[in-house]
Amino acid sequence: MHKALKRRHARCNRSALSRLPLATAIYLAVSSMAFAQEVVQDPAAPEATSESADQRAATLDTVTVTAQKRTENLQKVPISIQVLGEQKLQELNITDFDDYAKFAPSVSYQSFGPGFAQVYMRGVASGGDGNHSTSLPSVGMYLDEQPITTIQGALDLHLYDINRVEVLAGPQGTLYGASSQAGTIRIITNKPDPSGFSAGYALEANTISDGGNGYVAEGFVNVPLAENAAIRLVGWREKEAGFIDNVEGDRQFPSWGGSVSNRDCTSTDLLVCTGRAKDDYNDIETTGARLALKVDFNENWSVTPTVMGQKQSTNGLFAFDPAIGDLKVKHFYPERSEDSWMQAALTVEGKIGNFDVTYAFANLNRDDEVESDYTDYSFWYDTIASYGASIYNDAGDLINPSQYIQGKDKYEKTSHELRISSPDDWRFRFVGGVFWQEQEHDIQQDYRIDDLADAIAVPGWPDSIWVTKQFRVDRDEAVFGEVSYDITDQLTVNAGMRFFKVDNSLKGFHGFASYIVDDPDNATDAFCADPATPYKNAPCVNIDKRIRENDHIGKLNLTYELSDTKLIYATWSEGYRPGGNNRRGSLPPYVSDYLTNYEFGWKTTWFDNRLAFNGSVFRQEWEDFQFSILGANGLTEVKNANQAQIDGVEMELNWAATYNLRLSGGAAFYDAKLTENFCGWTDEAGDSVTDCPPGTLNPNGTFDDPSDDTAVEGPEAPDGTRLPVTPKFKGNLTARYTFDIGSLESYVQGAYVHVGERTSDLRLLERGILGELAAYDVFDFAVGVRKDNWALDFFLSNAFDERAEITKFTQCGETVCGAPGVVPEYPNGQIYTVTNQPRTFGVRFSQNF
């Protein structure tokens, strides 16, 4: 009963969109969630003739997963888990994070461009800007056995030659530890296969409505080296076309009296021309490869070393300014990023007696170079507070105060995990191990103004008005284990614990030239204690903080098998996210936050394995959750913002209606809200203050003057406030119909995704400025033919050109850059909207050998 089941591959890749009765569509949309199974012909059924093709038997394929660190049948795993298998990934043309996130109802996210998504699950989201000095992610990302969640976000890996994507909803703390507080996403690659040679490639061309043209070229080869060894080489090259226009325009600064223009023109004393206007300027180029070797030393021991890397170059901004126009902005300085990473990994698998032993090692190096236009910050502070009057050159003349950012971030992540597990068919089973990882982030952010006077530039950094040069280290050690016992043939109890220790530090410099003072009586909270001693290539050290914590979390699960095809389960589980250090000296560290999950779920198949219906209902209690905001001088602050509660229902349905027609879909319903007031500051012990009726003095003062105690009008977010980012409802529905045209296997397919309305910020004032994130609906369609070893597919993504509101943001504090009625051009403030890719048509040819 507990032995792993091998996955059977579908005889053919056939299905499609069929016209459904409205009642059926509504039922599927609200009572389903994922695409865990695939359709295969019943091997026991007689060979069908062409006249009886529609009468051939159909069943759902068996899917195996490794979510619990052992190979298991998905329908036997008592976890809310969605699996996008290799066939489904290909059918839905899923190539990156944005693609699979929209088909995972439990996943929501904020994004500022490729490689910089902040991922959330099950409503466990407080917002925040993903700053380098803020919280670690609450959702863990894994590539095979190795974690790939960096301090500032997960890798945006191009998906090709991928066996499956597993989305594990809810706390996975006991087996996956830190940053798997709300869930875990695992990308499982295809491994080298010594049994035979295989290869394949795919070529795609696409075009975006009112945008540019793109392409994809990808391929793999699997080469046996011997009976017990093989290598697998995978490569890809992708060009994603731009669709945001940087339109021509000028911006005048009141204090300076001059203007900056993005037109091609001749600069003068009061006009600076940058020539940055361009249509479709947010294009992406991605190149990557993976090389894996597998050697089976004997029937018990094998080793799989893997080297994988990717370089992603982007231009432009992936948001538009509604005040300028649909899919338009007016920016003046370079905007680009280059995200390069390489991971070396090693997995050793074997047996000691009857016990399975696995060792997983990974070393990830990631380098980001980013340039950003920061003119908004300069313009709005100049308009509101005459900021430009203090920006001058060496001659003492006022100059163009426009800022732009040059960032260089280097990450290194090393992890080790050693675990041992007992045989799957024992009545008493266990899995346990030790884990260690260290994440380093070398932070460099250079805020520049051309021709800035040396007297107000950061020493050693010409033209730099602000510099952040810091080194952050996050360490995590743990011992973990889970045990399972079959009380009867039907009832199983599972319990787990994880004992962990975290040690996180932040050291370096941040600030203006004025931060470097040697007079303690006139020091800011970023005072340089030793201004004569540089740090790396920064002037000095004005932050040197460290926080250490140790604790434990647990899990308890009861699973009852009603029959061989139906089970129910009840789970209590915990997850955590480590604490860290605020770079503002006057603020205390933020501590770990914890999520406790109470869940009841079911896994069922019906009608001779033609229909699978899974689901869960849960309540999650989020304690002392970490919340990031932009404070005075634009410094990000993290506070433990009290308590929240998330109630939810998740369901999935997959139905092989006939041999030719397959229907699948998913839905998630969430009610996520605060259960205590958020006042916006902590007490001397670092605990969040929850009692702040109107008239209470805020010890942090005003935004412009932190030393000025100010009476508040009440909580920034009162008890009952809805948590941001996550919709109350997210769902999807896919239909695929296959049929024969002569000797060609053909299909038509339709996919529908609905994302409900979301709030943009936890705080009521800022939420009111940014506005709500509107609900949206996206339809994708595809048709194609296949014969022998080749296939030709045509697809239309976002067919009705829906403009999704994924994220809204301002480039400085919302009360400044989002101030209404200050600038006629921006009557509602300057608020950007990150959106999805417009209508895209593409054609794809693929071939396997």
Side-chain angles (χ1 to χ4, degrees):
M1 177 175 64
H2 302 289
K3 292 184 178 179
L5 300 176
K6 292 186 178 179
R7 183 178 180 179
R8 294 174 294 165
H9 289 282
R11 174 179 175 268
C12 59
N13 181 18
R14 307 193 290 180
S15 30
L17 179 65
S18 177
R19 186 168 300 172
L20 297 175
L22 178 61
T24 302
I26 294 174
Y27 174 76
L28 291 173
V30 300
S31 65
S32 51
M33 174 182 148
F35 313 104
Q37 290 85 12
E38 299 170 1
V39 181
V40 292
Q41 183 178 358
D42 186 344
E47 183 69 21
T49 66
S50 59
E51 292 79 13
S52 62
D54 290 340
Q55 305 301 318
R56 287 177 291 187
T59 63
L60 299 175
D61 195 7
T62 298
V63 175
T64 57
V65 296
T66 52
Q68 297 190 117
K69 305 286 189 177
R70 57 173 81 235
T71 302
E72 298 172 288
N73 182 346
L74 171 68
Q75 290 299 104
K76 300 294 185 180
V77 179
I79 295 176
S80 180
I81 175 174
Q82 176 187 3
V83 179
L84 295 169
E86 183 173 16
Q87 180 176 328
K88 183 60 68 174
L89 293 170
Q90 294 172 0
E91 291 175 358
L92 294 173
N93 198 34
I94 290 175
T95 62
D96 58 21
F97 169 79
D98 287 352
D99 290 338
Y100 67 75
K102 73 179 184 180
F103 288 104
S106 61
V107 176
S108 55
Y109 66 100
Q110 292 179 307
S111 177
F112 302 95
F116 296 96
Q118 303 300 309
V119 187
Y120 309 103
M121 292 182 71
R122 277 195 171 179
V124 182
S126 60
D129 64 352
N131 185 275
H132 46 73
S133 298
T134 58
S135 305
L136 288 166
S138 62
V139 173
M141 302 286 290
Y142 276 72
L143 179 61
D144 293 322
E145 293 284 344
Q146 291 79 14
I148 56 171
T149 311
T150 63
I151 293 171
Q152 203 169 340
L155 304 180
D156 192 2
L157 169 67
H158 177 84
L159 299 184
Y160 177 69
D161 194 44
I162 300 298
N163 181 268
R164 64 187 183 275
V165 175
E166 299 178 2
V167 181
L168 287 63
Q172 307 297 325
T174 52
L175 291 181
Y176 293 97
S179 292
S180 285
Q181 177 189 48
T184 300
I185 298 174
R186 306 179 70 232
I187 300 170
I188 311 299
T189 62
N190 285 324
K191 304 301 186 294
D193 182 4
S195 65
F197 173 86
S198 61
Y201 69 91
L203 300 173
E204 176 187 313
N206 56 67
T207 184
I208 299 176
S209 296
D210 298 322
N213 301 317
Y215 64 84
V216 181
E218 51 197 10
F220 80 93
V221 59
N222 182 90
V223 181
L225 302 177
E227 291 184 357
N228 65 330
I231 60 171
R232 194 177 192 95
L233 177 63
V234 186
W236 56 90
R237 169 80 175 178
E238 180 178 15
K239 168 68 179 294
E240 297 180 64
F243 53 87
I244 301 289
D245 294 338
N246 189 16
V247 300
E248 290 187 348
D250 303 341
R251 169 168 277 176
Q252 184 174 18
F253 289 85
S255 297
W256 170 39
S259 298
V260 61
S261 173
N262 63 10
R263 295 178 287 115
D264 287 319
C265 53
T266 302
S267 297
T268 65
D269 288 343
L270 294 178
L271 177 65
V272 175
C273 302
T274 63
R276 291 289 167 181
K278 183 182 179 182
D279 289 345
D280 307 327
Y281 87 132
N282 64 322
D283 58 300
I284 311 169
E285 291 188 357
T286 304
T287 304
R290 182 175 80 245
L291 175 63
L293 167 70
K294 184 176 183 182
V295 179
D296 297 322
F297 296 112
N298 52 45
E299 63 179 10
N300 291 329
W301 287 91
S302 68
V303 59
T304 309
T306 304
V307 178
M308 184 172 184
Q310 180 175 280
K311 179 179 179 180
Q312 189 171 69
S313 300
T314 67
N315 294 299
L317 187 71
F318 290 81
F320 68 95
D321 185 344
I324 302 300
D326 181 40
L327 301 181
K328 299 182 186 300
V329 295
K330 186 175 65 178
H331 279 200
F332 305 92
Y333 287 89
E335 294 178 292
R336 69 171 191 90
S337 70
E338 186 172 289
D339 182 11
S340 302
W341 58 266
M342 180 171 288
Q343 177 176 273
L346 176 69
T347 302
V348 180
E349 298 173 289
K351 283 183 175 295
I352 299 178
N354 289 326
F355 299 99
D356 294 322
V357 177
T358 303
Y359 168 69
F361 160 81
N363 178 258
L364 171 67
N365 284 277
R366 181 183 186 186
D367 293 334
D368 283 335
E369 291 190 9
V370 179
E371 289 188 288
S372 305
D373 186 326
Y374 205 47
T375 309
D376 290 2
Y377 178 95
S378 307
F379 172 74
W380 283 90
Y381 273 100
D382 190 39
T383 302
I384 292 175
S386 300
Y387 148 88
S390 61
I391 305 301
Y392 53 89
N393 59 20
D394 285 331
D397 300 323
L398 294 181
I399 59 173
N400 169 23
S402 298
Q403 292 189 36
Y404 58 95
I405 306 171
Q406 294 179 344
K408 294 183 179 181
D409 293 82
K410 295 180 180 294
Y411 309 84
E412 183 174 3
K413 182 187 184 81
T414 303
S415 63
H416 303 265
E417 180 173 301
L418 177 64
R419 67 177 185 270
I420 185 170
S421 58
S422 62
D424 296 346
D425 55 358
W426 284 13
R427 185 172 185 178
F428 177 84
R429 304 174 298 282
F430 70 88
V431 58
V434 294
F435 177 81
W436 175 90
Q437 75 172 354
E438 180 173 288
Q439 306 179 73
E440 297 179 349
H441 185 185
D442 190 346
I443 306 162
Q444 179 175 307
Q445 301 287 317
D446 183 5
Y447 292 69
R448 302 179 61 82
I449 298 176
D450 290 337
D451 202 26
L452 186 67
D454 289 342
I456 54 176
V458 175
W461 295 71
D463 292 340
S464 298
I465 191 169
W466 174 283
V467 169
T468 298
K469 184 64 178 176
Q470 298 171 340
F471 194 72
R472 174 175 176 172
V473 182
D474 292 66
R475 306 171 184 86
D476 178 22
E477 302 173 12
V479 177
F480 64 91
E482 288 191 2
V483 297
S484 299
Y485 179 69
D486 296 332
I487 299 173
T488 69
D489 289 343
Q490 295 175 289
L491 180 62
T492 299
V493 61
N494 171 273
M497 293 284 288
R498 189 179 190 97
F499 298 86
F500 64 88
K501 180 171 64 174
V502 296
D503 182 358
N504 301 335
S505 61
L506 182 65
K507 181 178 181 179
F509 171 81
H510 66 282
F512 303 104
S514 60
Y515 279 38
I516 307 167
V517 296
D518 54 8
D519 181 1
D521 294 332
N522 296 312
T524 68
D525 63 7
F527 167 60
C528 280
D530 186 5
T533 303
Y535 176 75
K536 296 182 180 288
N537 59 339
C540 61
V541 172
N542 60 5
I543 180 172
D544 189 357
K545 293 185 174 183
R546 191 169 189 174
I547 179 174
R548 297 181 176 93
E549 298 179 281
N550 61 83
D551 206 337
H552 65 275
I553 54 175
K555 172 187 174 183
L556 181 64
N557 170 273
L558 282 174
T559 302
Y560 186 77
E561 293 195 12
L562 302 171
S563 68
D564 288 342
T565 59
K566 300 173 181 61
L567 65 81
I568 56 176
Y569 66 87
T571 299
W572 167 84
S573 58
E574 294 179 305
Y576 80 102
R577 177 172 51 168
N581 303 283
N582 273 295
R583 57 176 172 162
R584 189 184 298 284
S586 60
L587 293 178
Y590 53 94
V591 298
S592 294
D593 56 6
Y594 295 83
L595 185 70
T596 304
N597 175 58
Y598 306 90
E599 180 173 345
F600 172 79
W602 61 93
K603 296 281 185 77
T604 63
T605 56
W606 304 78
F607 311 126
D608 295 326
N609 201 35
R610 292 181 58 184
L611 183 145
F613 177 54
N614 303 333
S616 64
V617 296
F618 61 85
R619 166 166 289 183
Q620 297 182 141
E621 296 175 354
W622 197 9
E623 303 173 28
D624 300 324
F625 67 83
Q626 299 164 16
F627 178 52
S628 302
I629 63 170
L630 283 177
N633 293 322
L635 280 183
T636 302
E637 302 175 355
V638 185
K639 302 176 181 180
N640 290 94
N642 297 121
Q643 322 303 320
Q645 177 179 293
I646 303 101
D647 296 325
V649 179
E650 296 168 345
M651 290 179 286
E652 61 176 336
L653 184 71
N654 197 58
W655 181 27
T658 69
Y659 183 83
N660 301 84
L661 176 62
R662 184 176 5 141
L663 302 170
S664 53
F669 303 83
Y670 299 119
D671 180 18
K673 60 188 178 183
L674 287 179
T675 54
E676 291 187 8
N677 293 333
F678 172 60
C679 293
W681 67 88
T682 56
D683 59 23
E684 294 181 357
D687 297 324
S688 184
V689 173
T690 60
D691 185 16
C692 51
T696 304
L697 294 181
N698 179 357
N700 292 342
T702 65
F703 180 86
D704 296 312
D705 185 359
S707 64
D708 179 19
D709 288 351
T710 303
V712 300
E713 297 181 358
E716 294 187 19
D719 178 11
T721 298
R722 182 180 168 189
L723 297 184
V725 182
T726 302
K728 290 185 176 180
F729 170 71
K730 180 181 178 183
N732 57 71
L733 177 66
T734 298
R736 186 176 175 96
Y737 185 79
T738 60
F739 55 96
D740 293 336
I741 301 178
S743 61
L744 299 177
E745 299 176 354
S746 310
Y747 76 90
V748 293
Q749 176 180 282
Y752 164 65
V753 174
H754 172 82
V755 178
E757 182 184 61
R758 291 135 292 137
T759 59
S760 53
D761 199 284
L762 178 67
R763 300 159 296 167
L764 299 187
L765 175 62
E766 288 74 7
R767 177 188 299 183
I769 293 171
L770 294 174
E772 303 293 316
L773 297 169
Y776 62 90
D777 301 277
V778 175
F779 292 84
D780 299 335
F781 299 103
V783 298
V785 295
R786 176 185 301 273
K787 183 176 181 180
D788 300 327
N789 69 340
W790 62 266
L792 182 64
D793 301 276
F794 301 87
F795 63 88
L796 186 65
S797 301
N798 193 7
F800 302 111
D801 204 23
E802 180 83 352
R803 201 72 70 238
E805 295 183 349
I806 296 173
T807 309
K808 289 184 178 180
F809 69 94
T810 56
Q811 281 197 345
C812 63
E814 291 88 350
T815 56
V816 179
C817 285
V822 175
V823 179
E825 186 179 15
Y826 301 101
N828 299 312
Q830 192 167 10
I831 299 167
Y832 294 92
T833 300
V834 178
T835 190
N836 59 336
Q837 186 167 296
R839 181 191 300 113
T840 302
F841 173 75
V843 58
R844 179 183 181 92
F845 179 82
S846 58
Q847 193 171 17
N848 290 324
F849 305 95

